Amino acid sequence: MDTARLADAIDPNLVLLTVEEAARRLQIGRTVCYRLISSGELESITVGHLRRVPADALPAFVTRRRKRQHPASATTV
């Protein structure tokens, strides 16, 4: 299965994502995603021996990044 079809096959209703799925949704590399997890910038949990990223952690991460990069616009209504 090629990457484009694989991306279409991912269920948007998943609660937990693999690191690869989270990276794909953020349009970043897997290594960068692991780095964000290690630094605590991106929330993740372990299930057994597996690392998973809660789906709702992605919009929260983007919101925090946007506020940090544009603090003036975050306070303006």
Side-chain angles (χ1 to χ4, degrees):
M1 183 179 288
D2 64 35
T3 306
R5 288 192 337 197
L6 181 61
D8 291 338
I10 296 172
D11 183 354
N13 298 315
L14 292 175
V15 176
L16 295 174
L17 307 171
T18 65
V19 174
E20 290 79 8
E21 290 168 338
R24 194 174 307 116
R25 288 189 184 189
L26 290 171
Q27 297 184 330
I28 60 175
R30 184 179 71 107
T31 304
V32 173
C33 196
Y34 273 109
R35 195 175 307 130
L36 291 170
I37 289 168
S38 294
S39 70
E41 287 188 70
L42 181 60
E43 179 188 357
S44 72
I45 62 170
T46 54
V47 179
H49 294 286
L50 305 173
R51 174 70 51 192
R52 294 293 182 255
V53 177
D56 62 353
L58 300 181
F61 165 75
V62 172
T63 300
R64 283 191 308 276
R65 275 289 179 114
R66 289 178 74 185
K67 286 180 180 177
R68 197 167 69 207
Q69 289 182 3
H70 304 288
S73 64
T75 58
T76 307
V77 177

